[in-house]
Amino acid sequence: MDSHEYYEELILKDGDLSGEERKNLKAHLEECEKCQKLEEQWKSCLNLLTKAPMVEPKADITGKWEQTLQVRTFEKEMKNQNRQIIGTIVLIAILSVFSCTVLLSPEFLIPSTIQISQILFLLAGLANQFQTILSMLRLPVLICSLGGFLAVICFIVINRIGINNEENSKEGVEQS
Amino acid sequence: MNNISTDILEKVKEGDADAFTDIVDAYQNAIYNLCYRMLYNQTEAEDATQETFWKAWTNFSKYDFNRSFSTWILSIAAHYCIDLQRKKKVPEMEIDETMEEIIPDPIPHPEQEAIRNEEEQQIQDMLNSLNETDRAAIVLRYWYDFSDREIAESLSMSESAVKSRLFRARKQLAQYWDGQTQLNQG
Ligand SMILES: [Zn+2]
C-alpha cells in the first residue's frame, strides 16, 4: 500500500498491534516524516486524554434535583389538567357542531322536528296523567287537611285551658 | 460511578422518588463530567445534568433491565448535549459578517479560566475542535472506558460508524495538536 492510510490506521488504532503490524509500522516510521509526526502528536493527545480528570460539580446536584422534581412534577400535572380541560371543551364543541349540523340539515330537519314533537307529546301525556291522579285525590286530600287543621286548633285550645287551670290552682294555694 | 443495585432500579420503576435520589447521588459526577466535557460551561453543564435526571425519571419505563444502567443514563446525557450543541449552532449561522466581529468566541467565565490549569484548557480546546457527536464518542471512550459497542448503543449508531468516527476524531485531535504547537512556536 503506497498511501499512508494503512499506517495512519495503525498509529491511531485503539489497542495493541500485532507483531507484524508493529514491525511494518516501525519500518515505515523510519522513512516517513509525515507519519512520524502524526504518531508524536497522537501520543501527546493520548497522554492528555488518559490522565484527564473527571470534573466534579460545584453545585449541590441532589438538592437541586429535589427542587427540580417538585417543580416539574407540578408543571406536568398542571399541563395534563389543562390538556384534559381543553380536550373536554373541544369534544363538546365538536359534538354540538356535529349534532347541530345533523339535526338542522335539510334531510334531517323534518324527522328531527317530528321526534322533538313526539317527545313533547310524551311529556304532555305524562303531565296529564299526573293531573288526573291529583284530581282523583282532591277530596281525600281536602278532608285530611281540614281534619289536621281542626286537630291542631283543638290541641292549642286544650293546652291553654290546662295552663290557666294550673296557674289558678297555684294562686289558690298561695292565698290560703 | 457506582453500579446501582437492581433493587433500587425496581423501586424507581414503581415510581419511588426517594430511590431515584440514590441514583442522582451515585451518578451526578459521571453525568456532570460528561455534560461539562460536551458543553464546557459550568452552568450549562449543571442544567444539563438536571435535565438528564428529569428525562431518566420520566422515561424510566423505557429502561430495559437487561441493558447496563450506566450506558442508558449516559446515553440520555450525551443525546441531550449533542442536541443542545446543534441548537446553539443554528443562530450562529444566521449572523451576518458585521455581527460576527462583535460576538466574541465562546470563552468561558474568566474566574473559571483562572482555576483551570493549562492542561485542562488544552483538553477542552481539543474536544471543542471536534463536532458534537465525535466529541461525545471520544469522551465516552476516554473518560468512561466505553467499548465500541457501548458507544454505539449510547449514541444510537452502528459499531462500524463508531469505529470510523473515533478514527476520524483521533486524527483530527492529533492535527489540532499540531496546529496549536505551531501557533505557540510562531
Ligand atoms: Zn507515512
Side-chain angles (χ1 to χ4, degrees):
Chain A
M1 210 184 290
D2 29 285
S3 77
H4 301 277
E5 222 171 90
Y6 168 69
Y7 299 103
E8 279 181 357
E9 265 174 43
L10 292 184
I11 291 166
L12 299 172
K13 192 176 168 183
D14 209 23
D16 295 328
L17 300 179
S18 72
E20 207 191 320
E21 282 174 335
R22 207 173 299 148
K23 216 171 80 184
N24 285 346
L25 181 62
K26 205 183 166 194
H28 179 74
L29 287 180
E30 273 167 17
E31 60 190 33
C32 177
E33 218 174 285
K34 193 184 162 206
C35 288
Q36 221 175 4
K37 202 172 163 190
L38 183 73
E39 206 216 7
E40 275 170 27
Q41 287 163 351
W42 175 239
K43 269 187 180 165
S44 314
C45 273
L46 195 62
N47 182 39
L48 263 185
L49 285 175
T50 44
K51 71 177 181 191
M54 292 282 268
V55 183
E56 283 182 17
K58 292 188 181 78
D60 171 19
I61 299 284
T62 312
K64 207 177 165 197
W65 163 250
E66 273 155 12
Q67 271 181 359
T68 307
L69 182 66
Q70 223 174 8
V71 172
R72 296 264 180 107
T73 309
F74 178 71
E75 281 173 0
K76 202 179 158 193
E77 273 167 14
M78 287 305 284
K79 212 184 260 179
N80 279 350
Q81 219 171 50
N82 286 349
R83 208 175 290 159
Q84 270 174 3
I85 292 169
I86 291 169
T88 317
I89 291 170
V90 167
L91 195 72
I92 289 170
I94 290 171
L95 278 177
S96 28
V97 168
F98 180 73
S99 49
C100 278
T101 32
V102 168
L103 285 175
L104 299 177
S105 65
E107 68 261 47
F108 275 105
L109 195 56
I110 294 162
S112 56
T113 318
I114 289 168
Q115 243 167 17
I116 289 167
S117 60
Q118 272 172 350
I119 289 166
L120 287 176
F121 269 125
L122 198 74
L123 286 176
L126 281 175
N128 236 356
Q129 273 179 354
F130 190 63
Q131 215 176 8
T132 43
I133 289 165
L134 267 185
S135 65
M136 273 164 65
L137 292 175
R138 198 179 285 159
L139 199 64
V141 167
L142 205 69
I143 291 166
C144 281
S145 47
L146 260 177
F149 184 66
L150 282 173
V152 168
I153 286 172
C154 286
F155 179 76
I156 292 168
V157 168
I158 288 164
N159 248 8
R160 275 278 161 83
I161 293 166
I163 291 164
N164 280 344
N165 279 350
E166 258 177 44
E167 279 172 358
N168 286 343
S169 61
K170 271 181 192 169
E171 279 166 15
V173 169
E174 279 166 9
Q175 276 167 5
S176 67
Chain B
M1 188 168 55
N2 312 3
N3 250 338
I4 214 89
S5 72
T6 343
D7 195 35
I8 288 174
L9 294 177
E10 290 282 359
K11 276 185 188 165
V12 174
K13 196 153 203 172
E14 282 159 21
D16 187 338
D18 289 336
F20 193 80
T21 311
D22 291 348
I23 293 180
V24 175
D25 278 333
Y27 280 89
Q28 53 177 293
N29 288 356
I31 304 283
Y32 177 80
N33 179 68
L34 176 61
C35 296
Y36 183 80
R37 296 294 175 195
M38 288 298 290
L39 305 167
Y40 195 38
N41 179 301
Q42 196 184 311
T43 319
E44 277 182 11
E46 278 166 15
D47 291 346
T49 307
Q50 295 293 330
E51 200 61 47
T52 302
F53 285 130
W54 174 250
K55 279 175 191 285
W57 169 249
T58 47
N59 293 299
F60 206 83
S61 56
K62 289 179 194 157
Y63 168 61
D64 174 6
F65 276 64
N66 299 319
R67 278 181 61 187
S68 139
F69 183 72
S70 309
T71 318
W72 184 69
I73 199 162
L74 284 168
S75 148
I76 295 175
H79 276 293
Y80 178 72
C81 292
I82 289 171
D83 285 347
L84 204 65
Q85 294 284 86
R86 282 189 190 147
K87 272 178 206 155
K88 271 206 255 171
K89 270 186 187 170
V90 177
E92 272 176 41
M93 285 194 280
E94 285 165 4
I95 296 163
D96 59 79
E97 280 177 36
T98 46
M99 285 283 285
E100 230 168 308
E101 287 169 31
I102 305 162
I103 291 163
D105 286 327
I107 294 170
H109 302 292
E111 32 173 325
Q112 273 186 320
E113 206 169 34
I115 298 161
R116 258 192 319 269
N117 55 39
E118 205 185 321
E119 266 180 7
E120 186 59 30
Q121 181 77 56
Q122 276 175 333
I123 291 166
Q124 210 56 50
D125 287 346
M126 255 163 49
L127 289 178
N128 288 354
S129 72
L130 300 173
N131 80 43
E132 50 282 332
T133 313
D134 290 355
R135 193 184 313 164
I138 287 284
V139 172
L140 289 174
R141 164 59 53 84
Y142 292 105
W143 273 268
Y144 301 87
D145 289 325
F146 270 27
S147 65
D148 286 353
R149 194 182 55 79
E150 284 170 321
I151 297 175
E153 233 175 78
S154 301
L155 301 179
S156 323
M157 56 175 74
S158 67
E159 264 186 71
S160 60
V162 169
K163 279 194 171 76
S164 67
R165 265 183 190 278
L166 281 176
F167 175 75
R168 194 179 66 192
R170 287 189 192 113
K171 197 173 170 182
Q172 211 177 316
L173 288 178
Q175 280 162 354
Y176 176 81
W177 188 255
D178 182 36
Q180 284 310 101
T181 44
Q182 272 175 5
L183 265 179
N184 289 343
Q185 280 160 7

